[in-house]
Amino acid sequence: MPTTTENTLIIAKFGGTSVADFDAMNRSADIVLTDPNVRIVVLSASAGVTNLLVALAEGLAPAERTANLDKIRQIQYAIVNRLTHPDVIREEIDRMLDNVARLSEATALATSNALTDELVSHGELMSTLLFVEILRERNVPSEWFDVRKIMRTNDRFGRAEPDCDALGELTQSQLQPRLAQGNLIITQGFIGSEAKGRTTTLGRGGSDYTAALLGEALRVNRIDIWTDVPGIYTTDPRVVPAAKRIDLITFEEAAEMATFGAKVLHPATLLPAVRSDIPVFVGSSKDPAAGGTLVCNQTENPPLFRALALRRKQTLLTLHSLNMLHARGFLAEVFSILARHNISVDLITTSEVNVALTLDTTGSTSTGDSLLSSALLTELSSLCRVEVEENLSLVALIGNQLSQACGVGKEVFGVLEPFNIRLICYGASTHNLCFLVPSSDAEQVVQTLHRNLFEE
Ligand code: ASP
Ligand code: MG
């Protein structure tokens, strides 16, 4: 972990695996206590809990519902029971679990996104309560802070967007005074509240984003993201064991990686960090001594090729216009239909009479195909012939000055001769070159490219 001097303020975020159980929570507490500049801590729900809550919110048969509730209870009780004085906190956790049970029975749940968010928020509420208790038993005074007091969002439940002005003001009035008193603050990632006070969530994996938003509002000097991998790698080490850790990377490069599927950071995390030029450190709470990656606004000698990202489950839409030849406004119409259905386009290529595009699923809970409602397809079909293909994966090569370099095409595609490559996007961004491959080939494509571009 990078060293800091006095008068620095650090916000540290711990992901689900870092607060999964009693031992993980204690390791995370150790990290917090190693650096007195860490004064505010953002937590995810204990690993697995959010998935169980989401399943409850989606509606389960009674037996499954009971089984899910039991699993959540087990995860949280396993922590409670290791405390020296479990009684007080057990009562609070029981109250939370009762809420969860009650909400999961509510008949309105299936149709109410607001109730869903209310239900799902309990994961972070419980993990933070337990963490405060662990600190208390270690004689570290800390304060549980309900982030919903300051994390004002719009009411797009399930994927709410923060109101940064309101967040800034509320942080100054509600949180800053608590910090000024010297308290160590423990708060929730992922959750917020809209103007009427109803609970919202920022989208799956949103705790990173919370940490960055709070970091910006508090003008911290660094945002530390503790997860289960010691930093950002040239590609996913589970796909390519020879992947190397990147010690220093720029915001742009890391943002591209997050957007294109590198799971280390939530794609929106870097927005506030870039805006306010706050370095972000990524490390593993299981092995803090292993170091990590520092994301900041500049690195020395940025390499042409930096990393490879892989995003699975892509949906490709190909639209054939019957009268696109010399027509005007076809693309505009396509985009306005997609916009009306709240769909953001990801990659796109066009020819005179065809448009091929992939749907952006970042941050959403759905896969591409479930974004494709029949209403949307009907509307598009009235305009053109629509073809939908699934089982594709997106490979993104991230780098610097890619569109200005010579020979990139040969170097990349030369070794990919055995594979069917679709929808190549190259040139619009200096930071990436993207294409689709059949999902069954995706890992092999990444392995081949990595060997050629990063291992020799
Ligand atoms: N607990 C939430 C999720 O699993 C948020 C997070 O972990 O960042 O999506
Ligand atoms: Mg998580």
Side-chain angles (χ1 to χ4, degrees):
M1 146 176 40
T3 49
T4 49
T5 50
E6 239 176 286
N7 284 328
T8 38
L9 179 60
I10 297 171
I11 187 165
K13 177 261 171 177
F14 294 88
T17 50
S18 304
V19 291
D21 52 38
F22 186 78
D23 294 327
M25 280 197 177
N26 273 291
R27 276 195 301 271
S28 298
D30 290 340
I31 291 172
V32 171
L33 300 176
T34 317
D35 188 338
N37 295 312
V38 176
R39 303 270 310 287
I40 164 147
V41 174
V42 172
L43 302 182
S44 291
S46 301
V49 170
T50 307
N51 286 348
L52 291 162
L53 291 168
V54 167
L56 284 174
E58 282 167 354
L60 294 172
E64 275 179 282
R65 200 178 67 92
T66 312
N68 261 34
L69 289 168
D70 282 347
K71 279 187 207 146
I72 297 171
R73 176 176 289 108
Q74 275 161 24
I75 294 172
Q76 309 292 229
Y77 265 39
I79 301 172
V80 172
N81 291 336
R82 298 268 309 268
L83 291 164
T84 318
H85 304 288
D87 293 340
V88 178
I89 195 73
R90 189 184 289 124
E91 256 171 55
E92 271 187 85
I93 295 295
D94 279 342
R95 212 174 38 245
M96 297 265 159
L97 291 167
D98 286 345
N99 275 345
V100 169
R102 192 172 39 75
L103 283 162
S104 71
E105 254 176 316
T107 39
L109 183 62
T111 52
S112 165
N113 294 329
L115 280 185
T116 295
D117 276 3
E118 176 69 30
L119 172 60
V120 170
S121 71
H122 283 79
E124 272 69 14
L125 294 174
M126 290 191 285
S127 67
T128 45
L129 279 171
L130 291 165
F131 196 75
V132 167
E133 202 52 34
I134 282 183
L135 288 171
R136 208 193 309 272
E137 292 203 343
R138 291 174 62 162
N139 288 321
V140 180
S142 65
E143 180 175 333
W144 187 84
F145 184 82
D146 189 336
V147 82
R148 292 172 296 183
K149 285 198 232 164
I150 59 173
M151 186 57 72
R152 178 62 55 76
T153 69
N154 64 10
D155 62 1
R156 193 171 169 203
F157 296 99
R159 208 178 167 180
E161 284 136 25
D163 173 346
C164 292
D165 292 336
L167 170 62
E169 280 163 29
L170 291 166
T171 301
Q172 289 314 310
S173 62
Q174 312 274 334
L175 181 56
Q176 199 74 57
R178 317 298 318 157
L179 267 181
Q181 291 192 350
N183 297 342
L184 173 64
I185 306 284
I186 312 299
T187 196
Q188 305 80 32
F190 181 53
I191 70 175
S193 71
E194 43 86 92
K196 290 185 207 145
R198 291 177 295 176
T199 299
T200 57
T201 61
L202 303 179
R204 292 305 305 272
S207 296
D208 293 347
Y209 191 28
T210 303
L213 288 165
L214 291 183
E216 177 177 50
L218 287 167
R219 301 192 187 89
V220 300
N221 304 89
R222 202 179 69 220
I223 300 161
D224 288 352
I225 305 283
W226 294 100
T227 167
D228 53 1
V229 285
I232 301 177
Y233 280 67
T234 48
T235 197
D236 185 344
R238 282 166 301 194
V239 176
V240 180
K244 291 190 221 52
R245 210 244 317 283
I246 304 166
D247 293 332
L248 204 58
I249 188 171
T250 62
F251 286 130
E252 280 106 343
E253 295 170 300
E256 295 274 344
M257 290 179 71
T259 309
F260 287 111
K263 294 257 163 48
V264 193
L265 288 175
H266 181 277
T269 308
L270 292 165
L271 296 174
V274 176
R275 254 188 334 239
S276 305
D277 192 10
I278 306 170
V280 177
F281 172 78
V282 181
S284 163
S285 68
K286 285 198 182 112
D287 191 6
T293 298
L294 190 67
V295 189
C296 56
N297 68 8
Q298 245 178 352
T299 65
E300 256 169 55
N301 308 321
L304 180 61
F305 301 129
R306 177 61 97 181
L308 285 167
L310 176 60
R311 197 157 80 192
R312 297 167 212 263
K313 288 200 190 141
Q314 298 298 289
T315 303
L316 175 64
L317 273 189
T318 308
L319 311 177
H320 310 266
S321 162
L322 310 169
N323 40 25
M324 183 158 153
L325 211 58
H326 307 305
R328 285 173 184 78
F330 173 68
L331 281 181
E333 255 183 275
V334 168
F335 276 100
S336 71
I337 293 175
L338 292 169
R340 269 206 302 285
H341 288 264
N342 242 322
I343 281 179
S344 129
V345 169
D346 205 18
L347 300 187
I348 178 159
T349 62
T350 62
S351 75
E352 185 65 19
V353 293
N354 300 302
V355 190
L357 48 89
T358 61
L359 305 183
D360 184 358
T361 52
T362 29
S364 81
T365 46
S366 1
T367 56
D369 50 326
S370 56
L371 283 173
L372 276 180
S373 64
S374 57
L376 168 65
L377 286 176
T378 312
E379 229 180 299
L380 284 175
S381 303
S382 69
L383 193 69
C384 53
R385 188 155 59 79
V386 184
E387 215 179 300
V388 182
E389 284 175 76
E390 314 277 357
N391 301 323
L392 293 163
S393 293
L394 186 158
V395 176
L397 172 62
I398 316 300
N400 294 283
Q401 311 270 299
L402 283 171
S403 55
Q404 283 89 314
C406 299
V408 171
K410 182 172 175 209
E411 203 163 345
V412 171
F413 297 113
V415 290
L416 298 182
E417 207 186 313
F419 303 100
N420 173 230
I421 311 282
R422 309 280 303 270
L423 202 81
I424 299 169
C425 291
Y426 174 47
S429 159
T430 64
H431 287 293
N432 74 59
L433 181 167
C434 303
F435 53 87
L436 297 179
V437 292
S439 288
S440 51
D441 290 339
E443 297 209 342
Q444 228 188 321
V445 165
V446 169
Q447 286 153 358
T448 307
L449 265 185
H450 194 274
R451 199 176 317 119
N452 199 56
L453 303 180
F454 295 94
E455 291 170 45
E456 275 154 20

